[in-house]
Amino acid sequence: MLTNFIAVQHLHEENFKLSQSSCDKDVILNILSVLTDLLSLGTGRRIHYVVSKGGSEALLQALATAARTEPPDHGTLLPLLRLLARVGQRDRKFGLKVQKAEATDIILSLARRHLGHHLHLTHCLWVLRVCASNVTTGAMLGINGAMELLFKVITPYSKRHVRTVRAAIGALAALLKSKSNSRRAVNRGYLGELLRLYQDWHRNDVSNNYIYIRRGLLLCLKYITNIQLGRETFLGSRGMEILFTSVQDCLSCKNLDPIITTATHILRKCYPKEHLPVVTVRSSYSFPLPGNANAEPLCEGSEGDSESEGEEETEKDWDNEDVESKEEDCDLETDVNKLRSRPVLDRPEQELEKYEALCAELSQNFQELEFESEEKKSLEDRTENLPSAPSHFIPSATSVKYPNCRWRNQSVTEMGPDPGEQDFKVPFQSWRKKEECIWDKNDEKRDIAEEAQNKDFCEEEDPSRSHVSAFCPLPKDAAWYKKMFYPHCEASINASPEGRLESSDIVRNLLEKHHIPFHSPCFYAARAKCVKSIPGYRELAFPDFWGHQPPPSSKPVLERKHGVQRDRVLDDVRRLIQPGDVIGRTVFDLDDPSSGSSPAAPGCLTFFSKFESGNLRKAIQVREFEYDLMMNADVNSSQHHQWFYFEVRDMKSAVPYRFNIINCEKFNSQFNYGMQLVMYSVREALQGRPRWIRAGQDICYYKNHYRCSAAAGGGVRGRFYYTLTFSIKFPHKDDVCYLAYHYPYTYSTMMSHLDILEQNRNPKKVYWRQQTLCQTLGGNPCPLLTITAMPESENRHDLEQFCSRPYVFLTARVHPGESNSSWVMKGTLEFLVSSDPIAELLRKCFIFKIVPMLNPDGVINGNLRCSLSGDDLNRQWLTPSSQLHPTIYHAKGLLYYLRSIGRAPLVFCDYHGHSQKKNVFLYGCSIKETLWQAGCMVDTAVVTEDVGYRTLPKILDKVAPAFVMNSCSFLVEKSRASTARVVVWKEMGVLRSYTMESTYCSCSHGLYRGLQLGTQELEEMGSKFCLGLLILHLKSLPCSKELMAQAALLLDLEEEITDRAQRISVFLIPDCPPTWEICWQWQKLISCPHLCCSCATLRQVVCSHPPSIFQDCLWILALTRDLKSFLSF
Ligand SMILES: [Zn+2]
């Protein structure tokens, strides 16, 4: 306090004295020395104080005075300059103040006069540097010859007067931040000079004593290359080679990190920009749309226009989430009227009547249909002439002796003719998917006949193969499954009867032993046969066919190695500098089927992805163990790359292969925060470990040198591309592996899952109805499910109860790349039809309307975001087109219908995946929260709002380990006005209308903190969502006595509860007291009004709530076993 006070006093005094400008020298010197002492101590607060009191102006004025005296008074000048440098650094407006005081010339001429006097010169340079921090002042200094002056100081290379050189380089770097200075510097040839100088320092500074000078020079280069001219000159001056070579010398030394990082940054920025190595960035697949609708304008434009990316190339760091949140704020809807208005119907009212057929449960005549027989059931709902009628379609266990599905057999036409395979062209074609969907015994015969012609061509390599029993465990090489799945490869070998029997036996054998809950390879293959895809898929990906069983434990997020991104970028630059080992061979190309047709070069991987959800477009072998990969754009689009799914084979084991996916688009990715991709090994699967696992090392995600011009991209602006890079060591030699962005979940997976659920449900208890909401553009049925409990009995009361259950409307997978949402939905569905007592109770509470996949075509064709129309379907809810967006049009129609009969759903939730965030969370809609967040005045008297939208997420936060309330948001953004959540909230008046977002990566809180989510955790989220709905129901609605009694009864079955608690982990708190005991204590509580102190809080709750709520409390309490968290509800 005291020192501050003194400082102020002195400052004022000084101001006064300086303004007299005739004061005696000793006084000024004294003041300067006191100020110097004061400001050299303590924190920046003192300097800020001085600045706020006009210190900078006073010092500048003093400088002008001192400089005017002849000869210059160095005794005053030096401390003055020191103070100015110090204060100027902290004064944001210093540059402006310098201009105002017209001090630029003074400083420059002072510096010029002292060129021969290094101590004085250094002081001038310090001030020059702070002056240049303001771009305008910097430009002015540049015009007045500051750079020429500085160059005189820093060249030629010399270790004399290092301090001065350092100050000069610092000032030069500051000046080069101005574009006009950079341009001037390039034109005067300074860039080459800087490079040479940097080389000299690098070469001579063997013991790394002058890192700051070397880094300073790099900073000069970094700023100068911010302009296009700078980058071009840099390339022309062999800048890439020079920096790259120098960095190689630095890599082994850890304290050279600042140099390596800056040099890498420059290298990355200056790497010559290119277009992606594809003919066009538009999708390889196009789909003719009904009517004259055009998805995206088809303008290729002239390639090579890179000016659209602008002069300046600023590299933002990848973790700037602030920017995002600020943008979000501007996006908020602040018009109260818009928030409150309910738009008119988007279609004629009479059109809604047709949706009555999709709500048969409301007019169900149970007297006739009572506990329907399966035969009856199969007759109804199947009138749409779909190829999916289960009674005809699903192969029964007895009819399937031999699966006629083929996963991934290379077709002759696809891979180009191979002379050795000619003979097999005809029989092979018979394997292709035919239009018919009925399980065809002829196929089986044909296959067996075909097998007869195939003989194991690797028999010599594996003598054990003649014994069927020897196939489990697998032989060491790939021979046998090559034979099984690639019979055409064995063309050169004559048929033998043993071979045939053997193969079919192996498959049968394997299938018999193979069991994954809720999955059947036969069902999958049967469903996949009927799928209509644009490329006309004939192959199945093995993982989808064979199934996935989650690994026993989840994997922690990957720890990021130091400098991994830097190393990868340098490796990319090496292609340019040392192209000796660059192969550059296209090994897979969707656009050119002839590529990769010849047998793969030895040591080269084979790629494939022409199967459901696959989307590899091109693979280029860069170096022996490195591949550049490109994903296909969404159909009828030229963008949306993030999702990937492909097959790779012919690998060596124990060698790290590097893969670069070079056409990613998002500016950042969870791959930079420990997320791994997933891998499935066929060998592992056949050895009893059929699973996707998190895989990949050295993962990072960064902006690369590929660009897309505005014209080619069909957008307004040009685009940047990003590289996702990872290394994989495959577990086995010559394995067949699949790599994907996230756990794949195809349309056929979903359809066969529904088949299995329907078969496995208890028809006496579970009301299950699968209808077709509509056909998609691509001609695939979009299923709609109705799930509830069968009525208790035929009596009127029970039937009424059945019909009056509130609706819950759930949808998922509108965005095809968000396969996590399908796994969550899988969990929801399995729980809903299960015999779990909670599920039974839940079914009695609600009628569930579920559209498990809103965008089947997108999923099938490997899209990331859009449907076949090239539209993001979750931006079409305001005015969906019946032609272009049928699934949205009809889902909305059904919701309209429910609203029109007064049965709008209690809860609507659309399941999604979020690629940038962690945790599982909900987006909801609240007028008040939106207005508050936007900083609007809210008249609470006018805007009334039920806060019920918060209850469900709060409950989920308690019951679902992956769910985090803090990640939820209830803001209504303008850009989201046409999403399901906002439209259903506004137009259907559904208070609890949500988007549920699930991370691809991990959780930041709770039980799964730091663990990468697997399918098990995602499925669990789906079941917990159901539990949340039940608690919501018991909490917020008047419940019948029977229901409460049932709930109580449920809890009474203590053993079963404990069991269930373990199974679905209702709310796991170790060592908590038995459930019923708490309830019992609570009961005692009501009857006894005189309670001890510790129970005061409980009493408060009991006394302030009506008995019905208390009953709910009791139930929840028992269910969640967590008194404390319940009270904070
Ligand atoms: Zn989404």
Side-chain angles (χ1 to χ4, degrees), residues 219-234:
L219 283 177
C220 291
L221 287 168
K222 178 179 156 180
Y223 297 130
I224 215 168
T225 49
N226 272 345
I227 59 167
Q228 174 102 23
L229 180 67
R231 291 194 291 275
E232 283 165 9
T233 314
F234 179 82

Side-chain angles (χ1 to χ4, degrees), residues 814-815 818 865 872 874 910-914 995 997 1000:
V814 70
H815 293 142
E818 294 166 3
R865 191 133 185 116
D872 179 342
N874 203 30
D910 189 19
Y911 292 9
H912 282 252
H914 202 294
T995 299
E997 299 278 3
Y1000 292 92

